[in-house]
Amino acid sequence: MKHTKVKDLLNSTKTLQEVTAKGWVRTFRNNQFIALNDGSTIHNIQCVVDFENTPETTLKRITTGAAICVSGELVESQGAGQKYEIQVKKLEILGDSDAEKFPMQPKKHSLEFLRENAHLRVRTNAFGAIMRVRSVLSFAVHQYFQQKGFVYVNTPIITGSDAEGAGEMFQVSALPFDNTPRTEEGKVNYKEDFFGKQTNLTVSGQLEAETYAMALGQVYTFGPTFRAENSNTSRHLAEFWMIEPEVAFNDLADNMDLAEDFIKYVIKYAVDHCADDLKFLETRLADEEKQKPQAERSEMSLLEKLNFVLDNNFKRVSYTEAIDILKDSTPNKKKKFQYLIEEWGADLQSEHERFLVEKHFKSPVILFDYPAKIKAFYMRLNDNTEPGKETVRAMDILFPGIGEIVGGSQREERLDVLIEKMKTLGIDEEELWWYLDTRRFGTAVHSGFGLGFERLVLFVTGMGNIRDVIPFPRTPQNAEF
Amino acid sequence: MKHTKVKDLLNSTKTLQEVTAKGWVRTFRNNQFIALNDGSTIHNIQCVVDFENTPETTLKRITTGAAICVSGELVESQGAGQKYEIQVKKLEILGDSDAEKFPMQPKKHSLEFLRENAHLRVRTNAFGAIMRVRSVLSFAVHQYFQQKGFVYVNTPIITGSDAEGAGEMFQVSALPFDNTPRTEEGKVNYKEDFFGKQTNLTVSGQLEAETYAMALGQVYTFGPTFRAENSNTSRHLAEFWMIEPEVAFNDLADNMDLAEDFIKYVIKYAVDHCADDLKFLETRLADEEKQKPQAERSEMSLLEKLNFVLDNNFKRVSYTEAIDILKDSTPNKKKKFQYLIEEWGADLQSEHERFLVEKHFKSPVILFDYPAKIKAFYMRLNDNTEPGKETVRAMDILFPGIGEIVGGSQREERLDVLIEKMKTLGIDEEELWWYLDTRRFGTAVHSGFGLGFERLVLFVTGMGNIRDVIPFPRTPQNAEF
């Protein structure tokens, strides 16, 4: 008999039907009540075993983690907390789970312990919920862009171009590492490597996506990106997924509108489609908050935070305004900031971003028009700025508890200005000949942004460490599994 | 005034309205008719310029590839081939395109030339169509699985595990290549590398996906995978996107059902949502076929081929049956095969697969129950097979013109059998401790497959070379862009 998913059983409109379920035992109480989970929902279905007519040897094998198949009648449950249960007529142990050895016992495990068991942690309620929410969010990303007529573009992962400068890169090679071929000058001879040149893992698909936007109009990427930075923080991964839309004819204001609309859409989608999982994660977060001193606790529950983002406009604040606010702020005057804000041009640190978002505006903030000096070469130089105070049409979106979730800009569409900037920064024109072609042939105003997908998942699930929202995190000293 | 996408203009239900359009000039005829494309559709909108009242200097700048903005009235077109056109009142050149230098002139370019200009080829009709179809197909993939309750899982791209053995791997490192740190024995000291160990680019997310299937029930991956194989063919890429569903409690028959249903769904989705692009690609293919000798031409048009797949069941044929057919076949008897089929156990070559699919069955074929010796370690050993003729529950789906499009299997769920097999093949148990845990704790029958996304796009678009269905192909000696 075909089995039915637990989710479908719990949503069934008929009782007293013969059903079969397959899944893993979460708990087994009183030699009688199995809580069975199959991953289709956070909820278990209770399976009531006729223990008097079940061999003792079988009962002993109903342990946490064991895979079983049960058949019986789906009936209304007498117990609290569930609508239906299965009155088991037939029970088969598919795969045992030694109670002494199974690491995922039904008790609270530390997040560190669970990370070391990343292959099994998804069998817990919390990680099941996180990964379902992550999946639904990623679908929402595709749905949002596809409905608007964007074309999904797979930009290359292995790249021969290292000019973007978004961060330290991993090198990719098929050469024998122990004994690399050398040139006459004693350098590694990349001509003998697989691609005939030095190659790296991409830090961003933006430059390639721009070439597509200048043909297809609206495009987006959603793929893995890499940073070989030794950042052992709760917000950084060496391998993470990034979403990068790029739109021809969009200026910076359009870009901010798109980013805000997009973020609200995907959060709303998760709120609408992951109610049970988010409710569980809300309780988890509330329990965690209780461990903190009163002053550090969040004023809002998880769903309140999500709804707050949905219901309010993101504050749009120029860098110059932000600097004025920060200069006048209490932590700056009382020298509580580690990096004091003394003058226009300073790069904002995480402490400043948090102050703006969490203390001053108490809202997501879009900072825009940053000093040209602290931003990337491809950003559109603002017209009519004071000499020495040149700004670019950049924007960052800052979220409470997360910090930067989006970085974007209007791109410099003027070939001469772009080449001039590249010269100043020592970026090789030859290397980016294809990128410059977009400005040589039919250039136009265009804009885009990058959103770090794991930071979004972090915000929506209320988790505190980015390593807990990706299945198998890659961080310094860790590439297990 | 906000501009409207060309697709929306062409689908408009109102005429005589003031509209603005932005895009790139495809052609400019008689100093009067601009064919404008913005990538939203394969169709251009005709913009009729009042050339008598437009400065000669402006007219001269309306060249192929130039970005322009036009405003005027949307009216019914007098010309053939289009319903609407824009009577231009205002025309602005946004970005020039030097007619002498722009590589994408309105003429037929070779596919080789276009590959060298992968950043610009998407401005042609064919590549615009291909990339829109690719995007729609990828959305169909997500929609299919999400509707069925599958969880999308991002398995790691950088992996410390090289045990899967699906192919040659690229190595990933942050060590200085020119001067790698060494151990006392003179070997590269990977302990000093970013991850503290040797790491590679993934060849498959299957093993990690299995751990998730054994918790969430139904999962799928869709991400880049890599092969450092020096295969300079029209069907191989060093970097390609793969879809890998994995389902707990599915046996091989369920797996074949899932694969067939999935492939039909996504092809149907493209047929339903990409009518204009596919029509163009059908004509392109027909033109290409005309260059071939009569005997080599396909009997079916592109859409006929797609509908043939939708309307017919894939033939399910065991390896043993296939060998019998091949042994008795005319090319085998007449020694036309490069590799003659002499006995059971032979690995099937592309020529044999093509014979089965294109000559014998004239239909997609699912071959199953392959000899254990020619398949991977994790495949389920069949019960009750003759000694020396052991088979595994593997299945490959073969498509006309494409060859293998899917490879999958029921997985070996028995810990002891799996360990025995690994020992025989010299695969390190320690290395795969986490994979074996899925069999130690609550093991169950489960199955999955991998589908090479580009091969699917190749089939649906009717293109002949896999380098033409991914934006920036990675192949031996080529990592440009």
Side-chain angles (χ1 to χ4, degrees), chain B residues 63-118:
Chain B
T63 53
T64 297
I68 63 171
C69 176
V70 295
S71 298
E73 254 173 28
L74 186 72
V75 298
E76 286 189 18
S77 177
Q78 306 301 311
Q82 67 256 337
K83 195 172 160 200
Y84 297 126
E85 63 187 23
I86 298 173
Q87 292 287 353
V88 178
K89 288 185 180 161
K90 198 178 149 208
L91 185 149
E92 188 189 351
I93 308 286
L94 303 174
D96 289 286
S97 176
D98 185 334
E100 302 284 304
K101 291 180 184 160
F102 185 52
M104 300 291 114
Q105 288 303 312
K107 60 160 195 165
K108 201 162 167 58
H109 296 283
S110 75
L111 292 170
E112 290 74 19
F113 173 82
L114 292 170
R115 268 171 231 145
E116 286 163 19
N117 289 281

Coordinates of all heavy atoms in Angstrom, one line a residue, chain B residues 63-118:
Chain B
T63 N 22.0 53.2 -35.2 CA 22.7 52.1 -35.8 C 22.4 50.9 -35.0 O 22.0 50.9 -33.9 CB 24.2 52.4 -35.7 OG1 24.5 52.7 -34.4 CG2 24.6 53.6 -36.6
T64 N 22.7 49.7 -35.7 CA 22.5 48.4 -35.0 C 23.3 48.4 -33.7 O 24.5 48.7 -33.7 CB 23.0 47.3 -35.9 OG1 22.2 47.3 -37.1 CG2 22.8 45.9 -35.2
G65 N 22.6 48.1 -32.6 CA 23.2 48.0 -31.3 C 23.1 49.3 -30.4 O 23.3 49.2 -29.2
A66 N 22.7 50.4 -31.0 CA 22.5 51.6 -30.2 C 21.4 51.5 -29.3 O 20.3 50.9 -29.6 CB 22.3 52.8 -31.2
A67 N 21.5 52.1 -28.1 CA 20.4 52.1 -27.1 C 19.7 53.4 -27.3 O 20.3 54.5 -27.4 CB 21.0 52.1 -25.7
I68 N 18.3 53.3 -27.5 CA 17.6 54.5 -27.7 C 16.3 54.5 -26.8 O 15.9 53.5 -26.3 CB 17.1 54.6 -29.2 CG1 16.2 53.5 -29.6 CG2 18.3 54.7 -30.1 CD1 15.5 53.7 -30.9
C69 N 15.7 55.7 -26.7 CA 14.5 55.9 -26.0 C 13.5 56.6 -27.0 O 13.9 57.6 -27.6 CB 14.7 56.7 -24.8 SG 13.1 57.1 -23.9
V70 N 12.4 56.0 -27.3 CA 11.4 56.6 -28.2 C 10.1 56.8 -27.5 O 9.7 56.0 -26.7 CB 11.2 55.7 -29.5 CG1 12.4 55.6 -30.3 CG2 10.6 54.4 -29.1
S71 N 9.5 58.0 -27.8 CA 8.1 58.2 -27.3 C 7.2 58.6 -28.5 O 7.7 59.1 -29.5 CB 8.1 59.4 -26.3 OG 8.9 59.1 -25.2
G72 N 6.0 58.2 -28.4 CA 5.1 58.5 -29.5 C 3.8 57.7 -29.3 O 3.5 57.2 -28.2
E73 N 3.0 57.6 -30.4 CA 1.7 57.0 -30.3 C 1.8 55.5 -30.7 O 2.5 55.2 -31.7 CB 0.7 57.7 -31.2 CG -0.3 58.5 -30.4 CD -1.2 59.3 -31.3 OE1 -1.4 58.9 -32.5 OE2 -1.6 60.4 -30.8
L74 N 1.2 54.7 -29.9 CA 1.1 53.2 -30.3 C -0.1 53.1 -31.2 O -1.2 53.4 -30.8 CB 0.9 52.4 -29.1 CG 0.9 50.9 -29.3 CD1 2.3 50.4 -29.6 CD2 0.4 50.1 -28.1
V75 N 0.2 52.7 -32.5 CA -0.9 52.6 -33.5 C -0.9 51.3 -34.2 O 0.1 50.6 -34.1 CB -0.8 53.8 -34.5 CG1 -0.9 55.1 -33.9 CG2 0.5 53.6 -35.3
E76 N -2.0 50.9 -34.8 CA -2.0 49.7 -35.6 C -1.1 49.9 -36.8 O -1.0 51.0 -37.4 CB -3.4 49.4 -36.1 CG -4.3 48.9 -34.9 CD -5.6 48.4 -35.4 OE1 -5.8 48.1 -36.6 OE2 -6.5 48.2 -34.5
S77 N -0.3 48.9 -37.0 CA 0.7 49.0 -38.1 C 0.2 48.7 -39.5 O -0.7 47.9 -39.6 CB 1.9 48.0 -37.8 OG 2.8 48.0 -38.8
Q78 N 0.6 49.5 -40.4 CA 0.2 49.3 -41.8 C 1.1 48.2 -42.4 O 0.6 47.5 -43.3 CB 0.4 50.6 -42.6 CG -0.3 51.8 -42.0 CD -1.7 51.6 -41.9 OE1 -2.4 51.2 -42.8 NE2 -2.3 51.9 -40.7
G79 N 2.3 48.0 -41.9 CA 3.2 47.0 -42.5 C 2.8 45.6 -42.2 O 2.0 45.3 -41.3
A80 N 3.4 44.7 -42.9 CA 3.1 43.2 -42.6 C 4.0 42.8 -41.4 O 5.0 43.4 -41.1 CB 3.5 42.4 -43.8
G81 N 3.5 41.8 -40.7 CA 4.4 41.1 -39.7 C 4.2 41.7 -38.3 O 4.8 41.2 -37.4
Q82 N 3.6 42.8 -38.1 CA 3.4 43.3 -36.8 C 2.0 44.0 -36.6 O 1.5 44.6 -37.6 CB 4.5 44.3 -36.4 CG 4.5 45.6 -37.1 CD 5.5 45.7 -38.2 OE1 6.5 45.0 -38.1 NE2 5.3 46.5 -39.2
K83 N 1.5 43.8 -35.4 CA 0.1 44.4 -35.2 C 0.3 45.9 -34.9 O -0.5 46.7 -35.4 CB -0.4 43.6 -34.0 CG -1.9 43.8 -33.8 CD -2.5 42.8 -32.8 CE -3.8 43.3 -32.2 NZ -4.1 42.7 -30.9
Y84 N 1.2 46.2 -34.1 CA 1.4 47.6 -33.6 C 2.7 48.2 -34.0 O 3.7 47.5 -34.2 CB 1.3 47.7 -32.1 CG -0.1 47.3 -31.6 CD1 -0.2 46.3 -30.6 CD2 -1.2 47.9 -32.0 CE1 -1.4 45.9 -30.1 CE2 -2.5 47.5 -31.6 CZ -2.6 46.5 -30.6 OH -3.8 46.2 -30.1
E85 N 2.8 49.5 -34.1 CA 4.0 50.2 -34.2 C 4.0 51.5 -33.4 O 2.9 51.9 -33.0 CB 4.4 50.4 -35.7 CG 3.4 51.3 -36.4 CD 3.6 51.4 -37.9 OE1 4.2 50.5 -38.4 OE2 3.2 52.4 -38.5
I86 N 5.1 52.1 -33.2 CA 5.1 53.4 -32.6 C 5.4 54.5 -33.6 O 6.4 54.4 -34.3 CB 6.2 53.4 -31.4 CG1 5.9 52.4 -30.4 CG2 6.3 54.8 -30.8 CD1 7.0 52.2 -29.3
Q87 N 4.5 55.4 -33.6 CA 4.8 56.6 -34.5 C 5.6 57.6 -33.6 O 5.1 58.2 -32.7 CB 3.5 57.3 -34.9 CG 2.6 56.5 -35.9 CD 3.2 56.4 -37.3 OE1 4.2 57.2 -37.6 NE2 2.6 55.6 -38.1
V88 N 6.9 57.6 -33.9 CA 7.8 58.3 -33.0 C 7.7 59.8 -33.0 O 7.7 60.5 -34.1 CB 9.3 58.0 -33.4 CG1 10.3 58.7 -32.4 CG2 9.5 56.5 -33.3
K89 N 7.5 60.4 -31.8 CA 7.4 61.9 -31.7 C 8.7 62.4 -31.1 O 9.1 63.5 -31.4 CB 6.3 62.3 -30.8 CG 4.9 62.1 -31.4 CD 3.8 62.6 -30.5 CE 2.4 62.4 -31.1 NZ 1.4 62.5 -30.1
K90 N 9.3 61.6 -30.3 CA 10.6 62.0 -29.7 C 11.5 60.8 -29.6 O 11.1 59.7 -29.3 CB 10.3 62.4 -28.2 CG 11.3 63.3 -27.6 CD 10.9 63.7 -26.2 CE 12.2 63.9 -25.3 NZ 12.0 63.6 -23.9
L91 N 12.8 61.1 -30.0 CA 13.8 60.0 -30.0 C 15.0 60.5 -29.4 O 15.5 61.6 -29.7 CB 14.0 59.7 -31.5 CG 15.0 58.5 -31.7 CD1 14.6 57.7 -33.0 CD2 16.4 58.9 -31.8
E92 N 15.5 59.7 -28.5 CA 16.8 60.1 -27.8 C 17.8 58.9 -28.0 O 17.4 57.7 -27.7 CB 16.5 60.3 -26.3 CG 17.7 60.9 -25.5 CD 17.4 60.9 -24.0 OE1 16.3 60.6 -23.6 OE2 18.4 61.1 -23.3
I93 N 19.0 59.3 -28.3 CA 20.0 58.2 -28.4 C 20.6 58.1 -27.0 O 21.2 59.1 -26.5 CB 21.2 58.6 -29.4 CG1 20.6 59.0 -30.8 CG2 22.2 57.5 -29.5 CD1 20.1 57.8 -31.6
L94 N 20.5 57.0 -26.4 CA 21.1 56.8 -25.0 C 22.5 56.4 -25.1 O 23.3 56.8 -24.3 CB 20.3 55.7 -24.3 CG 18.7 56.0 -24.1 CD1 18.1 54.8 -23.5 CD2 18.5 57.2 -23.3
G95 N 22.8 55.5 -26.0 CA 24.2 55.0 -26.1 C 24.5 54.6 -27.6 O 23.7 53.8 -28.1
D96 N 25.5 55.2 -28.1 CA 25.8 54.9 -29.5 C 26.4 53.5 -29.7 O 26.9 52.9 -28.7 CB 26.8 56.0 -30.0 CG 26.2 57.3 -30.2 OD1 25.4 57.5 -31.1 OD2 26.5 58.2 -29.3
S97 N 26.4 53.1 -30.9 CA 27.0 51.8 -31.3 C 27.7 52.0 -32.6 O 27.0 52.1 -33.7 CB 26.0 50.7 -31.3 OG 26.6 49.5 -31.7
D98 N 29.0 52.1 -32.7 CA 29.7 52.4 -33.9 C 29.5 51.2 -34.9 O 29.9 50.1 -34.6 CB 31.2 52.5 -33.5 CG 32.0 52.9 -34.7 OD1 31.6 52.6 -35.9 OD2 33.1 53.6 -34.5
A99 N 28.8 51.5 -36.0 CA 28.5 50.5 -36.9 C 29.7 49.8 -37.5 O 29.6 48.6 -37.9 CB 27.7 51.1 -38.1
E100 N 30.8 50.5 -37.5 CA 32.0 49.8 -38.0 C 32.6 48.8 -37.1 O 33.3 47.9 -37.4 CB 33.1 50.9 -38.3 CG 32.7 52.0 -39.2 CD 32.8 51.6 -40.7 OE1 33.8 51.1 -41.1 OE2 31.7 51.6 -41.4
K101 N 32.3 49.0 -35.8 CA 33.0 48.2 -34.8 C 32.1 47.2 -34.1 O 32.6 46.2 -33.5 CB 33.6 49.2 -33.7 CG 34.8 50.0 -34.2 CD 35.3 50.9 -33.1 CE 36.4 51.8 -33.7 NZ 36.7 52.9 -32.8
F102 N 30.8 47.4 -34.0 CA 29.9 46.5 -33.3 C 29.9 45.1 -33.9 O 29.6 45.0 -35.1 CB 28.5 47.1 -33.3 CG 27.5 46.3 -32.4 CD1 27.8 46.0 -31.1 CD2 26.3 45.9 -33.0 CE1 26.9 45.3 -30.3 CE2 25.4 45.2 -32.2 CZ 25.7 44.9 -30.9
P103 N 30.3 44.2 -33.1 CA 30.5 42.8 -33.7 C 29.2 42.1 -34.1 O 29.2 41.3 -35.0 CB 31.2 42.0 -32.6 CG 31.7 43.0 -31.6 CD 30.8 44.2 -31.7
M104 N 28.1 42.5 -33.5 CA 26.8 41.8 -33.8 C 26.0 42.4 -34.9 O 25.0 43.0 -34.7 CB 26.0 41.7 -32.5 CG 26.6 41.1 -31.3 SD 26.8 39.3 -31.5 CE 28.6 39.2 -31.6
Q105 N 26.6 42.5 -36.1 CA 25.9 43.0 -37.2 C 24.7 42.2 -37.6 O 24.6 41.0 -37.3 CB 26.8 43.2 -38.4 CG 27.9 44.3 -38.2 CD 27.2 45.6 -37.9 OE1 26.3 46.1 -38.7 NE2 27.7 46.3 -36.9
P106 N 23.7 42.8 -38.2 CA 22.5 42.0 -38.6 C 22.7 41.1 -39.8 O 22.3 41.4 -40.9 CB 21.4 43.1 -38.9 CG 22.2 44.3 -39.2 CD 23.5 44.2 -38.5
K107 N 23.5 40.1 -39.5 CA 23.7 39.1 -40.5 C 24.0 37.8 -39.8 O 24.1 37.8 -38.5 CB 24.9 39.5 -41.4 CG 26.2 39.6 -40.6 CD 27.5 39.5 -41.5 CE 28.7 39.4 -40.6 NZ 29.9 38.9 -41.3
K108 N 24.2 36.7 -40.5 CA 24.4 35.4 -39.9 C 25.8 35.3 -39.4 O 26.7 35.4 -40.2 CB 24.0 34.3 -40.8 CG 23.7 33.0 -40.1 CD 23.0 32.0 -41.0 CE 23.0 30.6 -40.4 NZ 22.4 30.6 -39.0
H109 N 26.0 35.1 -38.1 CA 27.4 34.8 -37.6 C 27.5 33.4 -37.3 O 26.6 32.7 -37.0 CB 27.6 35.6 -36.3 CG 27.5 37.1 -36.5 ND1 28.5 37.8 -37.0 CD2 26.5 38.0 -36.2 CE1 28.2 39.1 -37.1 NE2 26.9 39.2 -36.6
S110 N 28.8 32.9 -37.3 CA 29.0 31.5 -37.0 C 28.9 31.3 -35.5 O 29.1 32.3 -34.7 CB 30.4 31.0 -37.4 OG 31.4 31.6 -36.5
L111 N 28.5 30.1 -35.0 CA 28.3 29.9 -33.6 C 29.7 30.0 -32.9 O 29.8 30.5 -31.8 CB 27.8 28.5 -33.4 CG 26.3 28.3 -33.8 CD1 25.8 26.9 -33.8 CD2 25.4 29.2 -32.9
E112 N 30.8 29.7 -33.6 CA 32.1 29.8 -33.0 C 32.4 31.3 -32.8 O 32.9 31.7 -31.7 CB 33.2 29.3 -34.0 CG 33.2 27.8 -34.2 CD 32.0 27.3 -35.0 OE1 31.4 28.1 -35.8 OE2 31.7 26.1 -34.9
F113 N 32.1 32.2 -33.7 CA 32.3 33.6 -33.6 C 31.5 34.1 -32.4 O 32.0 34.9 -31.6 CB 32.0 34.3 -34.9 CG 32.0 35.8 -34.7 CD1 33.2 36.5 -34.8 CD2 30.8 36.5 -34.5 CE1 33.2 37.9 -34.7 CE2 30.8 37.9 -34.3 CZ 32.0 38.6 -34.5
L114 N 30.3 33.6 -32.3 CA 29.4 34.1 -31.2 C 29.9 33.6 -29.9 O 29.8 34.4 -28.9 CB 28.0 33.6 -31.5 CG 27.3 34.3 -32.7 CD1 26.0 33.6 -33.0 CD2 27.1 35.8 -32.4
R115 N 30.5 32.5 -29.8 CA 31.1 32.0 -28.5 C 32.2 32.9 -28.0 O 32.4 33.1 -26.9 CB 31.6 30.6 -28.7 CG 30.6 29.5 -28.3 CD 31.1 28.1 -28.7 NE 30.0 27.4 -29.4 CZ 30.2 26.6 -30.4 NH1 31.5 26.3 -30.8 NH2 29.2 26.1 -31.1
E116 N 33.0 33.4 -29.0 CA 34.1 34.3 -28.7 C 33.5 35.6 -28.2 O 34.3 36.4 -27.6 CB 35.0 34.5 -29.9 CG 35.9 33.3 -30.2 CD 36.4 33.3 -31.6 OE1 36.4 34.4 -32.2 OE2 36.8 32.3 -32.1
N117 N 32.3 35.9 -28.5 CA 31.6 37.1 -28.0 C 30.4 36.8 -27.2 O 29.3 37.3 -27.4 CB 31.2 37.9 -29.3 CG 32.4 38.5 -30.0 OD1 32.9 39.5 -29.5 ND2 32.8 37.9 -31.0
A118 N 30.7 35.9 -26.2 CA 29.6 35.4 -25.3 C 28.9 36.5 -24.6 O 27.7 36.4 -24.2 CB 30.1 34.3 -24.4

